[in-house]
mmCIF file with all atom_site columns, all heavy atoms in Angstrom:
data_model
loop_
_atom_site.group_PDB
_atom_site.id
_atom_site.type_symbol
_atom_site.label_atom_id
_atom_site.label_alt_id
_atom_site.label_comp_id
_atom_site.label_asym_id
_atom_site.label_entity_id
_atom_site.label_seq_id
_atom_site.pdbx_PDB_ins_code
_atom_site.Cartn_x
_atom_site.Cartn_y
_atom_site.Cartn_z
_atom_site.occupancy
_atom_site.B_iso_or_equiv
_atom_site.pdbx_formal_charge
_atom_site.auth_seq_id
_atom_site.auth_comp_id
_atom_site.auth_asym_id
_atom_site.auth_atom_id
_atom_site.pdbx_PDB_model_num
ATOM   1   N N   . PHE A 1 78  ? -37.401 -15.354 -32.219 1.00 98.00 ? 1523 PHE A N   1
ATOM   2   C CA  . PHE A 1 78  ? -36.018 -14.885 -32.405 1.00 98.00 ? 1523 PHE A CA  1
ATOM   3   C C   . PHE A 1 78  ? -35.351 -15.750 -33.468 1.00 98.00 ? 1523 PHE A C   1
ATOM   4   O O   . PHE A 1 78  ? -35.535 -16.970 -33.487 1.00 98.00 ? 1523 PHE A O   1
ATOM   5   C CB  . PHE A 1 78  ? -35.217 -15.030 -31.105 1.00 98.00 ? 1523 PHE A CB  1
ATOM   6   C CG  . PHE A 1 78  ? -35.713 -14.160 -29.986 1.00 98.00 ? 1523 PHE A CG  1
ATOM   7   C CD1 . PHE A 1 78  ? -36.665 -14.617 -29.088 1.00 98.00 ? 1523 PHE A CD1 1
ATOM   8   C CD2 . PHE A 1 78  ? -35.224 -12.862 -29.822 1.00 98.00 ? 1523 PHE A CD2 1
ATOM   9   C CE1 . PHE A 1 78  ? -37.129 -13.815 -28.047 1.00 98.00 ? 1523 PHE A CE1 1
ATOM   10  C CE2 . PHE A 1 78  ? -35.679 -12.051 -28.785 1.00 98.00 ? 1523 PHE A CE2 1
ATOM   11  C CZ  . PHE A 1 78  ? -36.631 -12.536 -27.902 1.00 98.00 ? 1523 PHE A CZ  1
ATOM   12  N N   . ASP A 1 118 ? -38.824 -10.373 -32.630 1.00 98.00 ? 1563 ASP A N   1
ATOM   13  C CA  . ASP A 1 118 ? -37.790 -9.514  -32.061 1.00 98.00 ? 1563 ASP A CA  1
ATOM   14  C C   . ASP A 1 118 ? -37.293 -8.569  -33.145 1.00 98.00 ? 1563 ASP A C   1
ATOM   15  O O   . ASP A 1 118 ? -36.832 -9.010  -34.198 1.00 98.00 ? 1563 ASP A O   1
ATOM   16  C CB  . ASP A 1 118 ? -36.630 -10.372 -31.551 1.00 98.00 ? 1563 ASP A CB  1
ATOM   17  C CG  . ASP A 1 118 ? -35.621 -9.540  -30.775 1.00 98.00 ? 1563 ASP A CG  1
ATOM   18  O OD1 . ASP A 1 118 ? -36.039 -8.776  -29.890 1.00 98.00 ? 1563 ASP A OD1 1
ATOM   19  O OD2 . ASP A 1 118 ? -34.409 -9.640  -31.055 1.00 98.00 ? 1563 ASP A OD2 1
ATOM   20  N N   . CYS A 1 120 ? -34.597 -6.317  -33.574 1.00 98.00 ? 1565 CYS A N   1
ATOM   21  C CA  . CYS A 1 120 ? -33.315 -5.867  -33.026 1.00 98.00 ? 1565 CYS A CA  1
ATOM   22  C C   . CYS A 1 120 ? -32.198 -6.511  -33.832 1.00 98.00 ? 1565 CYS A C   1
ATOM   23  O O   . CYS A 1 120 ? -32.381 -7.593  -34.396 1.00 98.00 ? 1565 CYS A O   1
ATOM   24  C CB  . CYS A 1 120 ? -33.234 -6.296  -31.560 1.00 98.00 ? 1565 CYS A CB  1
ATOM   25  S SG  . CYS A 1 120 ? -31.792 -5.634  -30.719 1.00 98.00 ? 1565 CYS A SG  1
ATOM   26  N N   . ASP A 1 122 ? -29.014 -7.452  -32.815 1.00 97.00 ? 1567 ASP A N   1
ATOM   27  C CA  . ASP A 1 122 ? -27.887 -8.166  -32.181 1.00 97.00 ? 1567 ASP A CA  1
ATOM   28  C C   . ASP A 1 122 ? -27.703 -9.591  -32.667 1.00 97.00 ? 1567 ASP A C   1
ATOM   29  O O   . ASP A 1 122 ? -26.585 -10.095 -32.719 1.00 97.00 ? 1567 ASP A O   1
ATOM   30  C CB  . ASP A 1 122 ? -28.004 -8.135  -30.655 1.00 97.00 ? 1567 ASP A CB  1
ATOM   31  C CG  . ASP A 1 122 ? -29.236 -8.850  -30.150 1.00 97.00 ? 1567 ASP A CG  1
ATOM   32  O OD1 . ASP A 1 122 ? -30.313 -8.632  -30.722 1.00 97.00 ? 1567 ASP A OD1 1
ATOM   33  O OD2 . ASP A 1 122 ? -29.131 -9.638  -29.209 1.00 97.00 ? 1567 ASP A OD2 1
ATOM   34  N N   . GLU A 1 123 ? -28.792 -10.259 -33.032 1.00 97.00 ? 1568 GLU A N   1
ATOM   35  C CA  . GLU A 1 123 ? -28.652 -11.622 -33.539 1.00 97.00 ? 1568 GLU A CA  1
ATOM   36  C C   . GLU A 1 123 ? -28.000 -11.635 -34.929 1.00 97.00 ? 1568 GLU A C   1
ATOM   37  O O   . GLU A 1 123 ? -27.489 -12.663 -35.349 1.00 97.00 ? 1568 GLU A O   1
ATOM   38  C CB  . GLU A 1 123 ? -30.018 -12.319 -33.635 1.00 97.00 ? 1568 GLU A CB  1
ATOM   39  C CG  . GLU A 1 123 ? -30.714 -12.602 -32.304 1.00 97.00 ? 1568 GLU A CG  1
ATOM   40  C CD  . GLU A 1 123 ? -31.726 -11.527 -31.915 1.00 97.00 ? 1568 GLU A CD  1
ATOM   41  O OE1 . GLU A 1 123 ? -31.270 -10.485 -31.398 1.00 97.00 ? 1568 GLU A OE1 1
ATOM   42  O OE2 . GLU A 1 123 ? -32.926 -11.713 -32.110 1.00 97.00 ? 1568 GLU A OE2 1
ATOM   43  N N   . CYS A 1 130 ? -26.698 -4.265  -30.703 1.00 97.00 ? 1575 CYS A N   1
ATOM   44  C CA  . CYS A 1 130 ? -28.094 -4.141  -31.118 1.00 97.00 ? 1575 CYS A CA  1
ATOM   45  C C   . CYS A 1 130 ? -28.286 -3.122  -32.239 1.00 97.00 ? 1575 CYS A C   1
ATOM   46  O O   . CYS A 1 130 ? -29.405 -2.926  -32.718 1.00 97.00 ? 1575 CYS A O   1
ATOM   47  C CB  . CYS A 1 130 ? -28.971 -3.779  -29.927 1.00 97.00 ? 1575 CYS A CB  1
ATOM   48  S SG  . CYS A 1 130 ? -29.034 -5.087  -28.698 1.00 97.00 ? 1575 CYS A SG  1
ATOM   49  N N   . SER A 1 166 ? -36.270 -4.327  -29.227 1.00 97.00 ? 1611 SER A N   1
ATOM   50  C CA  . SER A 1 166 ? -35.617 -4.615  -27.955 1.00 97.00 ? 1611 SER A CA  1
ATOM   51  C C   . SER A 1 166 ? -34.243 -3.974  -27.852 1.00 97.00 ? 1611 SER A C   1
ATOM   52  O O   . SER A 1 166 ? -33.465 -4.296  -26.971 1.00 97.00 ? 1611 SER A O   1
ATOM   53  C CB  . SER A 1 166 ? -35.512 -6.128  -27.748 1.00 97.00 ? 1611 SER A CB  1
ATOM   54  O OG  . SER A 1 166 ? -34.711 -6.721  -28.749 1.00 97.00 ? 1611 SER A OG  1
ATOM   55  N N   . TYR A 1 193 ? -39.965 -2.624  -25.690 1.00 98.00 ? 1638 TYR A N   1
ATOM   56  C CA  . TYR A 1 193 ? -39.117 -2.987  -24.555 1.00 98.00 ? 1638 TYR A CA  1
ATOM   57  C C   . TYR A 1 193 ? -38.702 -1.648  -23.941 1.00 98.00 ? 1638 TYR A C   1
ATOM   58  O O   . TYR A 1 193 ? -37.639 -1.128  -24.235 1.00 98.00 ? 1638 TYR A O   1
ATOM   59  C CB  . TYR A 1 193 ? -37.875 -3.724  -25.023 1.00 98.00 ? 1638 TYR A CB  1
ATOM   60  C CG  . TYR A 1 193 ? -38.044 -5.160  -25.474 1.00 98.00 ? 1638 TYR A CG  1
ATOM   61  C CD1 . TYR A 1 193 ? -38.839 -5.485  -26.568 1.00 98.00 ? 1638 TYR A CD1 1
ATOM   62  C CD2 . TYR A 1 193 ? -37.362 -6.186  -24.827 1.00 98.00 ? 1638 TYR A CD2 1
ATOM   63  C CE1 . TYR A 1 193 ? -38.959 -6.806  -26.990 1.00 98.00 ? 1638 TYR A CE1 1
ATOM   64  C CE2 . TYR A 1 193 ? -37.473 -7.505  -25.247 1.00 98.00 ? 1638 TYR A CE2 1
ATOM   65  C CZ  . TYR A 1 193 ? -38.265 -7.806  -26.332 1.00 98.00 ? 1638 TYR A CZ  1
ATOM   66  O OH  . TYR A 1 193 ? -38.368 -9.104  -26.758 1.00 98.00 ? 1638 TYR A OH  1
ATOM   67  N N   . LYS A 1 196 ? -35.584 -1.689  -20.351 1.00 98.00 ? 1641 LYS A N   1
ATOM   68  C CA  . LYS A 1 196 ? -34.754 -2.884  -20.487 1.00 98.00 ? 1641 LYS A CA  1
ATOM   69  C C   . LYS A 1 196 ? -33.396 -2.586  -19.869 1.00 98.00 ? 1641 LYS A C   1
ATOM   70  O O   . LYS A 1 196 ? -32.703 -1.659  -20.286 1.00 98.00 ? 1641 LYS A O   1
ATOM   71  C CB  . LYS A 1 196 ? -34.613 -3.245  -21.963 1.00 98.00 ? 1641 LYS A CB  1
ATOM   72  C CG  . LYS A 1 196 ? -33.681 -4.438  -22.182 1.00 98.00 ? 1641 LYS A CG  1
ATOM   73  C CD  . LYS A 1 196 ? -33.750 -4.944  -23.596 1.00 98.00 ? 1641 LYS A CD  1
ATOM   74  C CE  . LYS A 1 196 ? -32.758 -6.053  -23.809 1.00 98.00 ? 1641 LYS A CE  1
ATOM   75  N NZ  . LYS A 1 196 ? -32.724 -6.532  -25.187 1.00 98.00 ? 1641 LYS A NZ  1
ATOM   76  N N   . LEU A 1 201 ? -28.213 -11.239 -16.441 1.00 97.00 ? 1646 LEU A N   1
ATOM   77  C CA  . LEU A 1 201 ? -29.057 -12.423 -16.604 1.00 97.00 ? 1646 LEU A CA  1
ATOM   78  C C   . LEU A 1 201 ? -29.406 -12.746 -18.058 1.00 97.00 ? 1646 LEU A C   1
ATOM   79  O O   . LEU A 1 201 ? -30.138 -13.687 -18.328 1.00 97.00 ? 1646 LEU A O   1
ATOM   80  C CB  . LEU A 1 201 ? -30.341 -12.257 -15.782 1.00 97.00 ? 1646 LEU A CB  1
ATOM   81  C CG  . LEU A 1 201 ? -30.105 -12.164 -14.269 1.00 97.00 ? 1646 LEU A CG  1
ATOM   82  C CD1 . LEU A 1 201 ? -31.390 -11.771 -13.552 1.00 97.00 ? 1646 LEU A CD1 1
ATOM   83  C CD2 . LEU A 1 201 ? -29.610 -13.490 -13.718 1.00 97.00 ? 1646 LEU A CD2 1
ATOM   84  N N   . TYR A 1 202 ? -28.881 -11.971 -19.015 1.00 97.00 ? 1647 TYR A N   1
ATOM   85  C CA  . TYR A 1 202 ? -29.101 -12.307 -20.422 1.00 97.00 ? 1647 TYR A CA  1
ATOM   86  C C   . TYR A 1 202 ? -28.127 -13.376 -20.921 1.00 97.00 ? 1647 TYR A C   1
ATOM   87  O O   . TYR A 1 202 ? -28.207 -13.784 -22.083 1.00 97.00 ? 1647 TYR A O   1
ATOM   88  C CB  . TYR A 1 202 ? -28.944 -11.081 -21.335 1.00 97.00 ? 1647 TYR A CB  1
ATOM   89  C CG  . TYR A 1 202 ? -29.899 -9.939  -21.038 1.00 97.00 ? 1647 TYR A CG  1
ATOM   90  C CD1 . TYR A 1 202 ? -29.429 -8.630  -20.966 1.00 97.00 ? 1647 TYR A CD1 1
ATOM   91  C CD2 . TYR A 1 202 ? -31.251 -10.166 -20.852 1.00 97.00 ? 1647 TYR A CD2 1
ATOM   92  C CE1 . TYR A 1 202 ? -30.292 -7.581  -20.697 1.00 97.00 ? 1647 TYR A CE1 1
ATOM   93  C CE2 . TYR A 1 202 ? -32.117 -9.120  -20.577 1.00 97.00 ? 1647 TYR A CE2 1
ATOM   94  C CZ  . TYR A 1 202 ? -31.627 -7.822  -20.502 1.00 97.00 ? 1647 TYR A CZ  1
ATOM   95  O OH  . TYR A 1 202 ? -32.477 -6.795  -20.230 1.00 97.00 ? 1647 TYR A OH  1
ATOM   96  N N   . PHE A 1 205 ? -29.351 -16.403 -22.936 1.00 96.00 ? 1650 PHE A N   1
ATOM   97  C CA  . PHE A 1 205 ? -29.948 -15.983 -24.220 1.00 96.00 ? 1650 PHE A CA  1
ATOM   98  C C   . PHE A 1 205 ? -28.860 -15.816 -25.275 1.00 96.00 ? 1650 PHE A C   1
ATOM   99  O O   . PHE A 1 205 ? -29.041 -16.143 -26.443 1.00 96.00 ? 1650 PHE A O   1
ATOM   100 C CB  . PHE A 1 205 ? -30.697 -14.661 -24.046 1.00 96.00 ? 1650 PHE A CB  1
ATOM   101 C CG  . PHE A 1 205 ? -31.261 -14.076 -25.324 1.00 96.00 ? 1650 PHE A CG  1
ATOM   102 C CD1 . PHE A 1 205 ? -32.547 -14.375 -25.739 1.00 96.00 ? 1650 PHE A CD1 1
ATOM   103 C CD2 . PHE A 1 205 ? -30.497 -13.210 -26.109 1.00 96.00 ? 1650 PHE A CD2 1
ATOM   104 C CE1 . PHE A 1 205 ? -33.064 -13.829 -26.910 1.00 96.00 ? 1650 PHE A CE1 1
ATOM   105 C CE2 . PHE A 1 205 ? -31.007 -12.660 -27.278 1.00 96.00 ? 1650 PHE A CE2 1
ATOM   106 C CZ  . PHE A 1 205 ? -32.290 -12.965 -27.679 1.00 96.00 ? 1650 PHE A CZ  1
ATOM   107 N N   . ARG A 1 206 ? -27.734 -15.300 -24.836 1.00 93.00 ? 1651 ARG A N   1
ATOM   108 C CA  . ARG A 1 206 ? -26.663 -15.070 -25.815 1.00 93.00 ? 1651 ARG A CA  1
ATOM   109 C C   . ARG A 1 206 ? -26.128 -16.394 -26.343 1.00 93.00 ? 1651 ARG A C   1
ATOM   110 O O   . ARG A 1 206 ? -25.694 -16.485 -27.488 1.00 93.00 ? 1651 ARG A O   1
ATOM   111 C CB  . ARG A 1 206 ? -25.602 -14.158 -25.224 1.00 93.00 ? 1651 ARG A CB  1
ATOM   112 C CG  . ARG A 1 206 ? -26.248 -12.777 -24.986 1.00 93.00 ? 1651 ARG A CG  1
ATOM   113 C CD  . ARG A 1 206 ? -25.350 -11.666 -24.575 1.00 93.00 ? 1651 ARG A CD  1
ATOM   114 N NE  . ARG A 1 206 ? -26.203 -10.527 -24.203 1.00 93.00 ? 1651 ARG A NE  1
ATOM   115 C CZ  . ARG A 1 206 ? -25.830 -9.537  -23.423 1.00 93.00 ? 1651 ARG A CZ  1
ATOM   116 N NH1 . ARG A 1 206 ? -24.600 -9.512  -22.931 1.00 93.00 ? 1651 ARG A NH1 1
ATOM   117 N NH2 . ARG A 1 206 ? -26.659 -8.561  -23.139 1.00 93.00 ? 1651 ARG A NH2 1
ATOM   118 N N   . ARG A 1 217 ? -23.680 -3.814  -23.114 1.00 96.00 ? 1662 ARG A N   1
ATOM   119 C CA  . ARG A 1 217 ? -24.665 -2.934  -23.756 1.00 96.00 ? 1662 ARG A CA  1
ATOM   120 C C   . ARG A 1 217 ? -24.995 -1.741  -22.872 1.00 96.00 ? 1662 ARG A C   1
ATOM   121 O O   . ARG A 1 217 ? -26.094 -1.193  -22.933 1.00 96.00 ? 1662 ARG A O   1
ATOM   122 C CB  . ARG A 1 217 ? -25.948 -3.722  -24.032 1.00 96.00 ? 1662 ARG A CB  1
ATOM   123 C CG  . ARG A 1 217 ? -25.769 -5.014  -24.807 1.00 96.00 ? 1662 ARG A CG  1
ATOM   124 C CD  . ARG A 1 217 ? -27.104 -5.454  -25.390 1.00 96.00 ? 1662 ARG A CD  1
ATOM   125 N NE  . ARG A 1 217 ? -27.121 -6.843  -25.837 1.00 96.00 ? 1662 ARG A NE  1
ATOM   126 C CZ  . ARG A 1 217 ? -26.497 -7.299  -26.922 1.00 96.00 ? 1662 ARG A CZ  1
ATOM   127 N NH1 . ARG A 1 217 ? -25.756 -6.488  -27.666 1.00 96.00 ? 1662 ARG A NH1 1
ATOM   128 N NH2 . ARG A 1 217 ? -26.606 -8.564  -27.261 1.00 96.00 ? 1662 ARG A NH2 1
ATOM   129 N N   . GLN A 1 221 ? -28.639 0.055   -22.860 1.00 96.00 ? 1666 GLN A N   1
ATOM   130 C CA  . GLN A 1 221 ? -29.595 -0.506  -21.901 1.00 96.00 ? 1666 GLN A CA  1
ATOM   131 C C   . GLN A 1 221 ? -29.451 0.222   -20.569 1.00 96.00 ? 1666 GLN A C   1
ATOM   132 O O   . GLN A 1 221 ? -28.419 0.798   -20.264 1.00 96.00 ? 1666 GLN A O   1
ATOM   133 C CB  . GLN A 1 221 ? -29.346 -2.005  -21.739 1.00 96.00 ? 1666 GLN A CB  1
ATOM   134 C CG  . GLN A 1 221 ? -29.578 -2.761  -23.047 1.00 96.00 ? 1666 GLN A CG  1
ATOM   135 C CD  . GLN A 1 221 ? -29.337 -4.248  -22.939 1.00 96.00 ? 1666 GLN A CD  1
ATOM   136 O OE1 . GLN A 1 221 ? -28.757 -4.736  -21.968 1.00 96.00 ? 1666 GLN A OE1 1
ATOM   137 N NE2 . GLN A 1 221 ? -29.765 -4.986  -23.948 1.00 96.00 ? 1666 GLN A NE2 1
ATOM   138 N N   . LYS A 1 248 ? -37.977 -5.505  -18.384 1.00 98.00 ? 1693 LYS A N   1
ATOM   139 C CA  . LYS A 1 248 ? -37.130 -6.671  -18.604 1.00 98.00 ? 1693 LYS A CA  1
ATOM   140 C C   . LYS A 1 248 ? -35.792 -6.461  -17.943 1.00 98.00 ? 1693 LYS A C   1
ATOM   141 O O   . LYS A 1 248 ? -35.203 -5.399  -18.153 1.00 98.00 ? 1693 LYS A O   1
ATOM   142 C CB  . LYS A 1 248 ? -36.972 -6.812  -20.113 1.00 98.00 ? 1693 LYS A CB  1
ATOM   143 C CG  . LYS A 1 248 ? -36.047 -7.911  -20.556 1.00 98.00 ? 1693 LYS A CG  1
ATOM   144 C CD  . LYS A 1 248 ? -35.983 -7.899  -22.052 1.00 98.00 ? 1693 LYS A CD  1
ATOM   145 C CE  . LYS A 1 248 ? -35.014 -8.975  -22.473 1.00 98.00 ? 1693 LYS A CE  1
ATOM   146 N NZ  . LYS A 1 248 ? -34.818 -9.010  -23.883 1.00 98.00 ? 1693 LYS A NZ  1
ATOM   147 N N   . TYR A 1 271 ? -40.776 -9.457  -19.090 1.00 98.00 ? 1716 TYR A N   1
ATOM   148 C CA  . TYR A 1 271 ? -40.051 -10.559 -19.721 1.00 98.00 ? 1716 TYR A CA  1
ATOM   149 C C   . TYR A 1 271 ? -39.231 -11.280 -18.661 1.00 98.00 ? 1716 TYR A C   1
ATOM   150 O O   . TYR A 1 271 ? -38.281 -10.733 -18.118 1.00 98.00 ? 1716 TYR A O   1
ATOM   151 C CB  . TYR A 1 271 ? -39.140 -10.015 -20.823 1.00 98.00 ? 1716 TYR A CB  1
ATOM   152 C CG  . TYR A 1 271 ? -38.605 -11.030 -21.820 1.00 98.00 ? 1716 TYR A CG  1
ATOM   153 C CD1 . TYR A 1 271 ? -38.439 -10.667 -23.147 1.00 98.00 ? 1716 TYR A CD1 1
ATOM   154 C CD2 . TYR A 1 271 ? -38.265 -12.328 -21.463 1.00 98.00 ? 1716 TYR A CD2 1
ATOM   155 C CE1 . TYR A 1 271 ? -37.948 -11.562 -24.094 1.00 98.00 ? 1716 TYR A CE1 1
ATOM   156 C CE2 . TYR A 1 271 ? -37.777 -13.230 -22.392 1.00 98.00 ? 1716 TYR A CE2 1
ATOM   157 C CZ  . TYR A 1 271 ? -37.615 -12.845 -23.709 1.00 98.00 ? 1716 TYR A CZ  1
ATOM   158 O OH  . TYR A 1 271 ? -37.118 -13.734 -24.625 1.00 98.00 ? 1716 TYR A OH  1
ATOM   159 N N   . GLN A 1 272 ? -39.685 -12.500 -18.368 1.00 98.00 ? 1717 GLN A N   1
ATOM   160 C CA  . GLN A 1 272 ? -38.921 -13.353 -17.455 1.00 98.00 ? 1717 GLN A CA  1
ATOM   161 C C   . GLN A 1 272 ? -37.824 -13.987 -18.305 1.00 98.00 ? 1717 GLN A C   1
ATOM   162 O O   . GLN A 1 272 ? -38.082 -14.892 -19.096 1.00 98.00 ? 1717 GLN A O   1
ATOM   163 C CB  . GLN A 1 272 ? -39.871 -14.414 -16.884 1.00 98.00 ? 1717 GLN A CB  1
ATOM   164 C CG  . GLN A 1 272 ? -39.234 -15.329 -15.883 1.00 98.00 ? 1717 GLN A CG  1
ATOM   165 C CD  . GLN A 1 272 ? -40.264 -16.258 -15.265 1.00 98.00 ? 1717 GLN A CD  1
ATOM   166 O OE1 . GLN A 1 272 ? -41.000 -16.948 -15.965 1.00 98.00 ? 1717 GLN A OE1 1
ATOM   167 N NE2 . GLN A 1 272 ? -40.333 -16.288 -13.955 1.00 98.00 ? 1717 GLN A NE2 1
ATOM   168 N N   . ILE A 1 273 ? -36.620 -13.494 -18.149 1.00 98.00 ? 1718 ILE A N   1
ATOM   169 C CA  . ILE A 1 273 ? -35.584 -13.761 -19.151 1.00 98.00 ? 1718 ILE A CA  1
ATOM   170 C C   . ILE A 1 273 ? -34.803 -15.057 -18.897 1.00 98.00 ? 1718 ILE A C   1
ATOM   171 O O   . ILE A 1 273 ? -34.998 -15.767 -17.913 1.00 98.00 ? 1718 ILE A O   1
ATOM   172 C CB  . ILE A 1 273 ? -34.611 -12.571 -19.249 1.00 98.00 ? 1718 ILE A CB  1
ATOM   173 C CG1 . ILE A 1 273 ? -33.864 -12.389 -17.932 1.00 98.00 ? 1718 ILE A CG1 1
ATOM   174 C CG2 . ILE A 1 273 ? -35.335 -11.311 -19.669 1.00 98.00 ? 1718 ILE A CG2 1
ATOM   175 C CD1 . ILE A 1 273 ? -32.612 -11.577 -18.086 1.00 98.00 ? 1718 ILE A CD1 1
ATOM   176 N N   . SER A 1 274 ? -33.891 -15.285 -19.829 1.00 98.00 ? 1719 SER A N   1
ATOM   177 C CA  . SER A 1 274 ? -33.139 -16.545 -19.855 1.00 98.00 ? 1719 SER A CA  1
ATOM   178 C C   . SER A 1 274 ? -32.438 -16.856 -18.533 1.00 98.00 ? 1719 SER A C   1
ATOM   179 O O   . SER A 1 274 ? -32.456 -17.992 -18.063 1.00 98.00 ? 1719 SER A O   1
ATOM   180 C CB  . SER A 1 274 ? -32.117 -16.496 -20.995 1.00 98.00 ? 1719 SER A CB  1
ATOM   181 O OG  . SER A 1 274 ? -31.232 -15.402 -20.830 1.00 98.00 ? 1719 SER A OG  1
ATOM   182 N N   . GLY A 1 275 ? -31.818 -15.850 -17.928 1.00 98.00 ? 1720 GLY A N   1
ATOM   183 C CA  . GLY A 1 275 ? -31.097 -16.103 -16.676 1.00 98.00 ? 1720 GLY A CA  1
ATOM   184 C C   . GLY A 1 275 ? -32.036 -16.407 -15.517 1.00 98.00 ? 1720 GLY A C   1
ATOM   185 O O   . GLY A 1 275 ? -31.685 -17.172 -14.612 1.00 98.00 ? 1720 GLY A O   1
ATOM   186 N N   . TYR A 1 313 ? -40.207 -18.604 -20.782 1.00 98.00 ? 1758 TYR A N   1
ATOM   187 C CA  . TYR A 1 313 ? -39.837 -19.855 -21.453 1.00 98.00 ? 1758 TYR A CA  1
ATOM   188 C C   . TYR A 1 313 ? -40.635 -21.029 -20.902 1.00 98.00 ? 1758 TYR A C   1
ATOM   189 O O   . TYR A 1 313 ? -40.601 -22.108 -21.470 1.00 98.00 ? 1758 TYR A O   1
ATOM   190 C CB  . TYR A 1 313 ? -38.322 -20.087 -21.319 1.00 98.00 ? 1758 TYR A CB  1
ATOM   191 C CG  . TYR A 1 313 ? -37.538 -18.976 -21.985 1.00 98.00 ? 1758 TYR A CG  1
ATOM   192 C CD1 . TYR A 1 313 ? -36.999 -17.909 -21.249 1.00 98.00 ? 1758 TYR A CD1 1
ATOM   193 C CD2 . TYR A 1 313 ? -37.386 -18.950 -23.371 1.00 98.00 ? 1758 TYR A CD2 1
ATOM   194 C CE1 . TYR A 1 313 ? -36.325 -16.870 -21.864 1.00 98.00 ? 1758 TYR A CE1 1
ATOM   195 C CE2 . TYR A 1 313 ? -36.714 -17.909 -24.001 1.00 98.00 ? 1758 TYR A CE2 1
ATOM   196 C CZ  . TYR A 1 313 ? -36.181 -16.872 -23.236 1.00 98.00 ? 1758 TYR A CZ  1
ATOM   197 O OH  . TYR A 1 313 ? -35.535 -15.842 -23.868 1.00 98.00 ? 1758 TYR A OH  1
HETATM 198 C C1  . PBG B 2 .   ? -31.968 -8.363  -27.843 1.00 96.04 ? 1143 PBG B C1  1
HETATM 199 C C2  . PBG B 2 .   ? -32.605 -9.223  -26.835 1.00 96.04 ? 1143 PBG B C2  1
HETATM 200 C C3  . PBG B 2 .   ? -31.998 -9.858  -25.758 1.00 96.04 ? 1143 PBG B C3  1
HETATM 201 C C4  . PBG B 2 .   ? -33.002 -10.577 -25.111 1.00 96.04 ? 1143 PBG B C4  1
HETATM 202 C C5  . PBG B 2 .   ? -34.178 -10.388 -25.816 1.00 96.04 ? 1143 PBG B C5  1
HETATM 203 N N1  . PBG B 2 .   ? -33.921 -9.526  -26.886 1.00 96.04 ? 1143 PBG B N1  1
HETATM 204 C C6  . PBG B 2 .   ? -30.588 -9.922  -25.344 1.00 96.04 ? 1143 PBG B C6  1
HETATM 205 C C7  . PBG B 2 .   ? -29.840 -8.744  -24.915 1.00 96.04 ? 1143 PBG B C7  1
HETATM 206 O O1  . PBG B 2 .   ? -30.340 -7.624  -24.836 1.00 96.04 ? 1143 PBG B O1  1
HETATM 207 O O2  . PBG B 2 .   ? -28.651 -8.926  -24.674 1.00 96.04 ? 1143 PBG B O2  1
HETATM 208 C C8  . PBG B 2 .   ? -32.797 -11.391 -23.890 1.00 96.04 ? 1143 PBG B C8  1
HETATM 209 C C9  . PBG B 2 .   ? -33.874 -12.354 -23.540 1.00 96.04 ? 1143 PBG B C9  1
HETATM 210 C C10 . PBG B 2 .   ? -33.459 -13.320 -22.494 1.00 96.04 ? 1143 PBG B C10 1
HETATM 211 O O3  . PBG B 2 .   ? -32.394 -13.204 -21.867 1.00 96.04 ? 1143 PBG B O3  1
HETATM 212 O O4  . PBG B 2 .   ? -34.233 -14.264 -22.271 1.00 96.04 ? 1143 PBG B O4  1
HETATM 213 N N2  . PBG B 2 .   ? -32.355 -8.732  -29.145 1.00 96.04 ? 1143 PBG B N2  1
#
Side-chain angles (χ1 to χ4, degrees):
F1523 295 91
D1563 188 49
C1565 187
D1567 63 315
E1568 293 96 280
C1575 294
S1611 63
Y1638 286 62
K1641 176 169 176 183
L1646 296 171
Y1647 300 134
F1650 175 91
R1651 295 188 189 158
R1662 307 198 196 288
Q1666 297 180 346
K1693 176 181 178 183
Y1716 196 145
Q1717 182 174 53
I1718 64 161
S1719 59
Y1758 298 99

